[in-house]
Amino acid sequence: MKPLILGVLASGRGSNFEAIAKNCAEGKIDARIAILLSDNPNAKALERAKVYGIEARYVDPGPYKTKLSPEAEEEYVRILKEHGVELVCLAGFMRILKSHFLRSFPYRIMNIHPALLPAFPGLHAQKQAFDYGVKVSGCTVHFVDEGIDTGPIIIQRAVPVLEDDTAETLAARILAEEHKIYSEAIQLFAEGRLKIEGRKVRVLPK
Ligand code: GAR
C-alpha cells in the first residue's frame, strides 16, 4: 500500500510528533511524514525532526497570538500542498485554523486534545480537569472544524485520576495514551475506514 503522506504542525515539545514519526519509521502505520511545520522557531519538535531525517521548517505565523495571519495561512497551505500532504496532523499546534486552511484540507485535518471532549476544551485541559475534580479524564483525536476542539470525534481514551495525582502526573498519564491513539487514528484514516456522518465518525470494519 502506498503510504499516506502526512504534514505535522507543532508549536512546542513535539512528543506527539515524535510518536507518529517513530511509528511511521517502524512500519506500525502506513504513513510517512513529508514535512513538519512550526510557528515557534525554538520548538523542540524542530530538533526532534532532524533525528528522524524529516524536513522541518519554522514558518512565521504573523502578528496574531491565537491564529495565523491570512498570509501565513496561505504559506502553510502552499508548503503542505507542495509536499503532497494528504492528511494534516496538529500535534500541540497552539493556533486556531481559519477557513482558508480548513477549505484547503476538508476533513483532512486531525487534532489531539488532552481531555475527553467536549469537556475541558482550550488550553491547559489536564489542569482544568484536575482542578474540577473529575475521577476520569483522557484524550481525544478529532477532525478539525471551525470551532475550538469541536470537530467530529475519531478516538477517545479514558485515563483514571488517582488519589495522589497532581496536574502534572495526570498530564503524563494522559500523554502516554495520546501517543497511542494519534497513530491509531492515522492508521484508520490510511486504511480508508473513517466515515463522517454529521457529528459522528463511523469506523468501518476491515
Ligand atoms: C499535548 O498534550 C496535546 O494534546 C496538547 O498539547 C500537548 C503537546 O505536547 N494540545 C492541546 O492542548 C491542543 N488544544 P507535545 O508537543 O509533546 O506533543
Side-chain angles (χ1 to χ4, degrees):
M1 194 159 89
K2 193 169 117 350
L4 178 73
I5 309 292
L6 307 178
V8 179
L9 271 55
S11 298
R13 182 176 57 185
S15 73
N16 275 289
F17 159 72
E18 181 163 1
I20 296 166
K22 191 162 179 286
N23 284 331
C24 289
E26 291 176 356
K28 291 188 177 145
I29 49 181
D30 299 316
R32 176 174 76 79
I33 302 176
I35 182 92
L36 168 79
L37 297 178
S38 183
D39 59 332
N40 169 11
N42 303 314
K44 187 144 184 257
L46 292 167
E47 287 170 36
R48 293 193 202 243
K50 283 191 202 145
V51 178
Y52 288 85
I54 293 170
E55 184 181 342
R57 286 197 216 168
Y58 158 71
V59 181
D60 188 344
Y64 307 103
K65 272 218 164 83
T66 58
K67 62 178 184 180
L68 297 169
S69 68
E71 299 75 29
E73 277 214 342
E74 279 194 22
E75 183 64 359
Y76 275 75
V77 167
R78 192 188 64 69
I79 298 170
L80 293 166
K81 295 274 184 197
E82 187 183 278
H83 284 77
V85 167
E86 298 166 301
L87 178 68
V88 179
C89 297
L90 307 185
F93 189 68
M94 296 308 188
R95 287 173 194 271
I96 298 150
L97 301 179
K98 297 290 180 188
S99 57
H100 171 64
F101 202 122
L102 298 176
R103 276 200 313 267
S104 302
F105 292 96
Y107 290 111
R108 287 177 167 266
I109 309 172
M110 283 185 189
N111 182 43
I112 180 102
H113 184 75
L116 293 176
L117 292 170
F120 312 117
L123 294 177
H124 312 300
Q126 307 95 325
K127 184 164 186 314
Q128 288 186 55
F130 181 78
D131 289 348
Y132 196 91
V134 297
K135 300 294 185 189
V136 175
S137 191
C139 44
T140 304
V141 181
H142 63 94
F143 284 112
V144 174
D145 65 9
E146 53 291 324
I148 297 177
D149 301 323
T150 53
I153 290 169
I154 303 165
I155 300 185
Q156 294 189 297
R157 187 122 326 138
V159 166
V161 182
L162 306 182
E163 284 304 320
D164 57 355
D165 262 339
T166 61
E168 289 71 32
T169 57
L170 174 61
R173 192 174 309 114
I174 292 172
L175 189 65
E177 297 306 316
E178 293 184 41
H179 294 166
K180 296 179 198 157
I181 66 169
Y182 214 160
S183 289
E184 287 172 29
I186 292 166
Q187 182 60 18
L188 288 172
F189 188 98
E191 292 173 4
R193 292 173 57 200
L194 297 178
K195 186 156 183 262
I196 301 168
E197 293 173 348
R199 271 221 54 83
K200 300 209 173 78
V201 180
R202 234 164 20 108
V203 178
L204 304 175
K206 264 202 175 185

